[in-house]
Amino acid sequence: MNVASITEMWDRLTGSQPDPSRWLVVATALLALAAVLTRSVWRIVRNAVTIAHEGGHGLVALLSGRRLDGIRLHSDTSGLTVSRGKPHGPGMVLTAAAGYTAPPLLGLAGAALLAAGHITALLWGATALLLVMLVMIRNAYGALTVVITAALFLLVSWLTEAQVQAAFAYLVVWFLLAGGSRPVAELQRSRRRDRSGTSDADQLARLTRTPAALWMLLFYATALFSLVGGARWLLLR
């Protein structure tokens, strides 16, 4: 790869892309909302939320000084992230809290990039994060899911026109924003049926000696804040 090619790639990464039409922004928002609300579709696309959820656990575990042993993604859209370190303290609390807050916050970060016109940066950045996460995947289904998702981002960013890239990027961001609260609602329902106390909210309650309901409220508030803030950026651009 010569210097000119590297310079061209850098300019493409750091530069801004043309604004999409208003109808595209609204259409992708409605499509993402339909995917979140339609049960049969949600069962499939929820895998993307699980990737963000477990990736959030893993990233914060590393940033807080814990040792990340691995990540598993399962066909029922559940996941598991295993890290080593002190079983208490700020690092453990932040790691446990990162799962349900990661998808909407990633959506908010994506909305900020799109509002600044950095569609290519979003697509390439997502691809890079997925490839980094792939190194820590410890089961075949999880590896396959991450590879397919990363390949989709890469193919869209390299082989499609600007309008298609914009539609895909906006759809992904709207999906993370709109879908941020549904896993929390599912968690709330599952906690009513299962009193084993193994959920993220219950673990956080034990770690901080606070009610699990407080952490559920934090998860809902993060999802709502991200949705409102992200929608404001995307619709007012």
Side-chain angles (χ1 to χ4, degrees), residues 138-161:
R138 295 294 182 264
N139 66 323
Y141 179 84
L144 179 62
T145 302
V146 173
V147 166
I148 291 175
T149 307
L152 181 60
F153 274 90
L154 188 61
L155 291 174
V156 168
S157 65
W158 279 101
L159 301 180
T160 64
E161 299 178 352

Side-chain angles (χ1 to χ4, degrees), residues 142-231:
L144 179 62
T145 302
V146 173
V147 166
I148 291 175
T149 307
L152 181 60
F153 274 90
L154 188 61
L155 291 174
V156 168
S157 65
W158 279 101
L159 301 180
T160 64
E161 299 178 352
Q163 192 77 349
V164 177
Q165 293 178 19
F168 180 75
Y170 273 80
L171 180 62
V172 169
V173 169
W174 277 121
F175 175 73
L176 290 174
L177 292 172
S181 60
R182 179 155 184 174
V184 185
E186 293 172 346
L187 172 63
Q188 187 174 13
R189 290 194 297 269
S190 67
R191 290 185 68 249
R192 291 172 181 169
R193 297 191 301 266
D194 182 7
R195 298 291 182 174
S196 62
T198 58
S199 72
D200 289 359
D202 292 303
Q203 291 181 38
L204 286 163
R206 290 192 296 272
L207 287 167
T208 60
R209 297 182 182 179
T210 56
L214 180 65
W215 293 100
M216 295 294 299
L217 180 62
L218 173 65
F219 296 158
Y220 274 121
T222 302
L224 179 61
F225 170 81
S226 299
L227 176 59
V228 173

